[in-house]
Amino acid sequence: MNPQLTSLLAASTAFVGTHFIMSHPLRAGMVRALGEKGFLGLYTLVSLGTFAWMVVAFRASPAGTGEVSEGAWVAASVLTIVALVLFLGSLLGNPALPDTPKEKVATAKAHGVFLVTRHPMMWGFALWALAHILLGWSERTLILAGSLLILALVGAHLQDRKKEALLGDAWAHWEAQTSYWPRWQRLGAAGPVVWIASLVIWAAATWAHKWLAGIPAGVWLWLG
């Protein structure tokens, strides 16, 4: 394997692996040793460090030169729009966010994108990654996007297990209202404001994609 791709694979493994290890098996011991703030500080430092390594390794790796069908571009565009809907909707009343009081989780009622899945943010990241994997633009993209796909979907599953242990009946109450696997037929529950905001941000982000990544994306692939 190309040395730069090997470095990217190592960086991606470190980024995903440290997230899982520090969030689950090592978390309790590290919190006892460092305190909650100390743990969060170290967690953030490690996350930023490994992510920066990923970015540097990605940019140093060979760019793709393959042809992508128009059908793949259309599918990727749809996936990234839905990803934004899930992500933006997840910012509104998410009981899975850190430090949410147990009492609030116990009384939470599923609404908006949480009627689609209880992990809309993670599925948003997963769909973004899947869109880039679908395009198959380059080996470096497959490694980076694949690692984020694993982090999102496995991380969501592990979050359920952790919340079940920490919150007991309160989390069971939340789990009973929604599901891990998305119920795509409920996407309309996100509401018109979230959909409009997502389309506007998507249009801006795909326009900037050409200048940031050197590749036109979304409708700009055809509009120029």
Side-chain angles (χ1 to χ4, degrees):
M1 181 183 287
N2 178 288
Q4 287 79 21
L5 288 175
T6 300
S7 177
L8 176 59
L9 182 59
S12 300
T13 301
F15 180 71
V16 174
T18 53
H19 265 75
F20 288 159
I21 293 171
M22 295 179 71
S23 295
H24 301 283
L26 298 184
R27 181 185 177 95
M30 293 179 70
V31 169
R32 285 195 299 269
L34 302 173
E36 188 67 35
K37 289 185 178 180
F39 165 76
L40 290 175
L42 180 59
Y43 183 91
T44 301
L45 185 63
V46 171
S47 297
L48 290 176
T50 52
F51 183 74
W53 180 14
M54 284 177 66
V55 172
V56 171
F58 179 84
R59 292 188 173 183
S61 299
T65 57
E67 293 293 326
V68 181
S69 70
E70 288 199 357
W73 278 112
V74 171
S77 296
V78 171
L79 286 173
T80 49
I81 291 171
V82 175
L84 263 174
V85 169
L86 293 177
F87 176 79
L88 292 181
S90 75
L91 304 178
L92 306 173
N94 188 348
L97 292 176
D99 300 324
T100 302
K102 184 175 182 178
E103 297 75 19
K104 189 172 182 178
V105 177
T107 58
K109 295 189 181 299
H111 66 283
V113 294
F114 298 101
L115 292 172
V116 180
T117 172
R118 65 176 164 273
H119 297 290
M121 184 179 291
M122 294 297 201
W123 274 100
F125 292 147
L127 291 184
W128 176 91
L130 185 60
H132 287 76
I133 291 171
L134 179 65
L135 293 174
W137 189 259
S138 65
E139 289 179 303
R140 69 177 187 173
T141 299
L142 292 176
I143 292 172
L144 180 67
S147 65
L148 295 180
L149 180 66
I150 293 170
L151 177 62
L153 297 188
V154 176
H157 172 74
L158 292 176
Q159 183 187 77
D160 276 341
R161 304 290 81 77
K162 181 172 68 176
K163 294 288 188 179
E164 287 167 2
L166 290 174
L167 301 177
D169 290 343
W171 191 254
H173 160 80
W174 178 243
E175 284 185 316
Q177 299 180 60
T178 181
S179 67
Y180 171 88
W181 295 104
R183 299 168 180 172
W184 300 117
Q185 71 274 18
R186 298 185 178 184
L187 269 174
V193 173
V194 172
W195 273 97
I196 292 170
S198 298
L199 289 170
V200 170
I201 293 173
W202 179 83
T206 51
W207 176 83
H209 196 276
K210 180 177 180 179
W211 314 110
L212 297 175
I215 305 168
V219 295
W220 311 110
L221 181 69
W222 298 281
L223 297 181

